[in-house]
């Protein structure tokens, strides 16, 4: 594998409550990894129900034996399954959200992967103003960033579209939020960016080295190549900023997992030149 190139990754979910969500593989992690490897992916991104999941499956050994990297570990189940968010009005819920994320950071770091904070960033709501929600989020990120620093971990903060959060919707807002943190980078999800960014290329160029991971999805959240996204300018922009991370397909398994994976790798190979 060329360590200096942009690498391909595909998502796997072990969270039944996320059924219908934008994850390509479901079910057995081992079978999913084997399929991803045969199709030609460099890595897999894992969406576990909780940190304990990694006591039930030896993801590290499987990844090593099969020859895949683990691109990232998602934490959306903290919200989806356990209704935990960093911006909850209830301090006890915020504390449990921090405990969930701290444990996930430890296991992700053991797997050599960054931990994603997307849905768990929360949003404003009854008893929490927009400003207060942002303050709670920044406070949580600062503490997690310090923990990441202490254990050699990495955090990816993901701006989401307006229907999922009112914290940060754009890369520019995300860049401001994570300012001064040393182990936290941005996750640029092309599905969300297509909704929120005035100009996706400009946003990538402005965010620059703050970008640590990409969710590789077309406008309709299908495999890249299935919608109307102009892919090449985005890849070229990533080349210009010297991006060397993953393009990880967080898309619906449509028409089925295998087809979505194959379509993704075709688009990846067509658009990613040696940048
Ligand atoms: C998570 O990566 C994400 O993009 C959210 O939309 C939750 O699905
Ligand atoms: Mn995403």
């Amino acid at each position: 594998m060329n360590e200096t190139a942009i690498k391909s990754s595909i998502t796997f979910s072990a969270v039944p409550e996320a059924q219908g969500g934008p994850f390509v593989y479901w079910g057995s992690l081992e079978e999913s990894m084997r399929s991803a490897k045969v199709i030609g992916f460099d890595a897999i991104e894992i969406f576990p129900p909780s940190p304990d999941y990694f006591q039930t499956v030896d993801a590290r050994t499987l990844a090593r034996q099969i020859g895949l990297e683990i691109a990232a570990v998602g934490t959306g189940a903290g919200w989806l399954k356990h209704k935990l968010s960093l911006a909850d009005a209830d301090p006890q819920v915020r504390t449990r959200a921090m405990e969930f994320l701290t444990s996930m950071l430890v296991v992700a770091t053991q797997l050599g992967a960054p931990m994603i904070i997307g849905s768990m960033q929360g949003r404003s709501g009854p008893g929490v103003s927009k400003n207060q929600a942002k303050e709670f989020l920044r406070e949580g990120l600062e503490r997690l960033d310090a923990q990441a620093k202490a254990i050699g971990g990495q955090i990816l903060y993901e701006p989401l579209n307006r229907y999922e959060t009112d914290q940060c919707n754009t890369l520019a807002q995300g860049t401001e939020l994570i300012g001064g943190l040393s182990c936290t980078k941005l996750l640029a999800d092309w599905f969300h960016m297509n909704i929120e960014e005035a100009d996706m290329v400009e946003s990538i160029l402005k965010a620059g080295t703050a970008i640590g991971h990409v969710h590789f999805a077309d406008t309709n959240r299908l495999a890249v190549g299935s919608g109307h996204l102009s892919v090449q300018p985005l890849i070229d922009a990533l080349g210009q900023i010297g991006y060397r991370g993953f393009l990880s397909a967080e898309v619906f398994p449509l028409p089925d997992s295998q087809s979505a994976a194959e379509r993704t790798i075709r688009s990846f190979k067509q658009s990613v030149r040696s940048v």
Side-chain angles (χ1 to χ4, degrees):
M1 199 188 305
N2 181 357
E3 289 301 328
T4 62
I6 293 176
K7 294 177 281 186
S8 60
S9 167
I10 189 131
T11 47
F12 164 81
S13 169
V15 183
E17 290 86 348
Q19 205 73 40
F23 303 99
V24 177
Y25 287 114
W26 297 80
S28 153
L29 179 62
E30 178 169 356
E31 281 171 29
S32 302
M33 281 184 170
R34 291 197 189 283
S35 170
K37 180 69 184 178
V38 169
I39 291 172
F41 284 93
D42 298 313
I44 195 155
E45 178 176 321
I46 302 175
F47 187 69
S50 72
D52 299 344
Y53 170 74
F54 295 104
Q55 288 170 15
T56 67
V57 57
D58 187 353
R60 190 190 171 96
T61 303
L62 281 177
R64 189 166 356 98
Q65 284 171 350
I66 293 168
L68 286 178
E69 286 184 66
I70 298 176
V73 173
T75 59
W79 167 247
L80 208 63
K81 219 175 141 66
H82 311 285
K83 291 289 168 264
L84 300 175
S85 105
L86 290 176
D88 200 282
D90 182 344
Q92 289 184 349
V93 176
R94 294 201 302 279
T95 299
R96 289 208 290 124
M98 277 301 292
E99 287 165 0
F100 183 94
L101 288 168
T102 299
S103 311
M104 200 70 103
L105 179 62
V106 170
V107 290
T109 304
Q110 285 164 354
L111 294 170
M115 174 183 77
I116 298 169
I117 298 178
S119 308
M120 282 192 73
Q121 67 189 277
R123 64 189 87 181
S124 66
V128 191
S129 68
K130 197 166 170 225
N131 279 347
Q132 181 68 81
K134 188 70 90 52
E135 275 171 31
F136 285 151
L137 173 59
R138 171 71 197 195
E139 228 174 87
L141 287 177
E142 280 176 13
R143 285 171 55 199
L144 288 162
D145 188 79
Q147 290 167 2
K149 196 170 187 174
I151 62 171
Q154 266 187 299
I155 293 165
L156 297 166
Y157 168 73
E158 181 176 22
L160 303 173
N161 74 70
R162 67 191 68 184
Y163 307 107
E164 296 188 36
T165 189
D166 59 357
Q167 299 275 31
C168 295
N169 304 127
T170 62
L171 295 191
Q173 291 166 348
T175 304
E176 196 185 334
L177 178 73
I178 65 168
L181 302 181
S182 55
C183 300
T184 305
K185 291 205 168 214
L186 289 182
L187 196 175
D189 181 322
W190 288 1
F191 168 73
H192 299 300
M193 287 177 67
N194 175 62
I195 295 170
E196 297 293 348
E197 306 286 354
D199 181 330
M200 290 174 67
V201 167
E202 274 305 306
S203 304
I204 289 173
L205 294 176
K206 281 213 184 94
T209 54
I211 298 176
H213 194 68
V214 170
H215 276 162
F216 190 58
D218 216 313
T219 48
N220 45 13
R221 224 173 198 181
L222 297 179
V224 168
S226 313
H228 56 85
L229 200 64
S230 296
V231 178
Q232 200 60 56
L234 299 175
I235 301 291
D236 293 344
L238 289 171
Q240 275 189 56
I241 62 167
Y243 181 72
R244 293 291 179 265
F246 294 98
L247 299 187
S248 190
E250 187 185 64
V251 299
F252 295 117
L254 295 173
D256 53 70
S257 301
Q258 175 89 10
S259 308
E262 286 171 355
R263 175 89 221 204
T264 294
I265 211 73
R266 242 189 351 264
S267 297
F268 178 88
K269 285 185 178 155
Q270 273 164 14
S271 54
V272 176
R273 299 184 289 261
S274 200
V275 288

